[in-house]
Amino acid sequence: MVRTPLTPEERLRGERLGRLLREARGERSMVAVAASAGISAETLRKIETGRAPTPAFFTVAALAGALGLSMDELLGRCAAGPAVVPLIA
């Protein structure tokens, strides 16, 4: 199976998601958050660094739950333009 290359917008959206998750994780370790979400620390690292810009829905939902974020908030902030509002005001 050949995967269709990601568009520049999909890559930017993945980078925004990673930035938001890193910010929400704060001082918590990557290993602890990943374990709480039921994913590997390597998967979380790839998402946070933009190397996995289109993670599965259930992976994002699990991370949102582990970090106390709503899916609506993540969607709104990741779909926003380049100027992303800080998660913690």
Side-chain angles (χ1 to χ4, degrees):
M1 179 171 116
V2 176
R3 186 169 183 166
T4 305
L6 297 175
T7 66
E9 176 56 34
E10 289 170 325
R11 289 193 181 283
L12 285 173
R13 196 169 42 236
E15 290 171 8
R16 285 192 293 265
L17 174 63
R19 201 168 32 249
L20 289 169
L21 294 176
R22 266 193 318 279
E23 187 177 312
R25 183 167 57 84
E27 297 298 317
R28 289 178 278 183
S29 77
M30 191 176 286
V31 172
V33 171
S36 178
I39 64 171
S40 71
E42 178 65 12
T43 297
L44 179 54
R45 185 183 67 74
K46 286 180 179 178
I47 294 169
E48 285 189 357
T49 60
R51 288 189 52 226
T54 58
F57 171 81
F58 291 106
T59 299
V60 176
L63 285 167
L67 294 168
L69 301 171
S70 76
M71 291 296 287
D72 287 337
E73 181 179 14
L74 279 180
L75 175 63
R77 293 168 54 78
C78 288
V84 177
V85 179
L87 188 60
I88 302 170

